[in-house]
Amino acid sequence: MSHNGQEPHFYEGLARLLASQQITASPAELHGIITGLVSSGLAMDGKSWLEPLYDLTNNGLAFSQPVKEALEPLYLELCQQLVGADFEFQLLLPAEDEALPDRIQALCDWAQGFLAGYGVQAGKAKVSAEVKEALDDLAEIANLSTDVEEDDDMAESAFIEVEEYLRVVAMLVFSNLGHRPKGNEHTLH
């Protein structure tokens, strides 16, 4: 398993599946959108996440069954990680052995996706100054430059710090706006 909890080549396989279905969003962007939706208060009922995701990524059209089957476990895992007390939430990003510029682009895609999901779900909700500042930071992260040398140790360290910051922002937004599932939390399985 990779650092983000997925099999090392899961990201690439999902990217190929999305491209084969003419879905232009990257796996990171889709994961960011779903995280933004759920963190911002979307009901964790197993179905509410699909319509806004279709609207944001597929002109409102439903995904094919193979895409839904690939994304549903991500959604369920994401929900379990956000409600868990052990802070295991992880971003879906390319494997660590992928080129650094590609991983940076995925961070940018994730941040853009999160902001889109947040905007659809929470919109103009009143949030704390801390959440507002974190969302402003995400807007800056979404526009990071991917122009780095592959073996740049400082850029690699910065990448790891930004990834960790995005994790913290998602958990912060969820703790402020998210809704835990009603009843038994184990219904997310």
Side-chain angles (χ1 to χ4, degrees), residues 18-163:
L18 295 173
S20 75
Q21 302 292 314
Q22 287 76 47
I23 298 169
T24 59
S26 71
E29 184 178 4
L30 290 174
H31 191 260
I33 291 169
I34 298 167
T35 306
L37 290 166
V38 172
S39 295
S40 302
L42 187 77
M44 287 190 202
D45 59 11
K47 58 184 181 264
S48 296
W49 63 283
L50 286 169
E51 289 299 321
L53 189 62
Y54 298 155
D55 289 343
L56 289 169
T57 62
N58 205 31
N59 295 322
L61 302 173
F63 292 144
S64 66
Q65 195 60 33
V67 173
K68 282 192 251 184
E69 288 173 2
L71 293 178
E72 186 170 320
L74 285 178
Y75 162 78
L76 294 172
E77 180 180 26
L78 179 151
C79 291
Q80 288 175 339
Q81 289 175 346
L82 286 173
V83 299
D86 48 10
F87 304 105
E88 285 187 4
F89 174 75
Q90 296 292 322
L91 281 62
L92 177 62
L93 298 172
E96 294 170 353
D97 60 352
E98 294 296 318
L100 183 58
D102 294 341
R103 292 185 293 135
I104 293 171
Q105 183 59 57
L107 273 182
C108 296
D109 290 350
W110 193 94
Q112 289 170 351
F114 185 93
L115 290 170
Y118 172 87
V120 165
Q121 182 60 33
K124 298 183 191 284
K126 297 269 189 216
V127 295
S128 69
E130 184 181 28
V131 169
K132 183 178 178 344
E133 181 179 342
L135 293 170
D136 289 344
D137 290 344
L138 255 67
E140 288 184 32
I141 291 168
N143 293 309
L144 287 176
S145 171
T146 61
D147 189 23
V148 297
E149 296 295 323
E150 182 57 36
D151 59 352
D152 185 341
D153 290 339
M154 287 181 54
E156 182 70 37
S157 294
F159 172 86
I160 292 167
E161 287 179 30
V162 171
E163 179 183 5

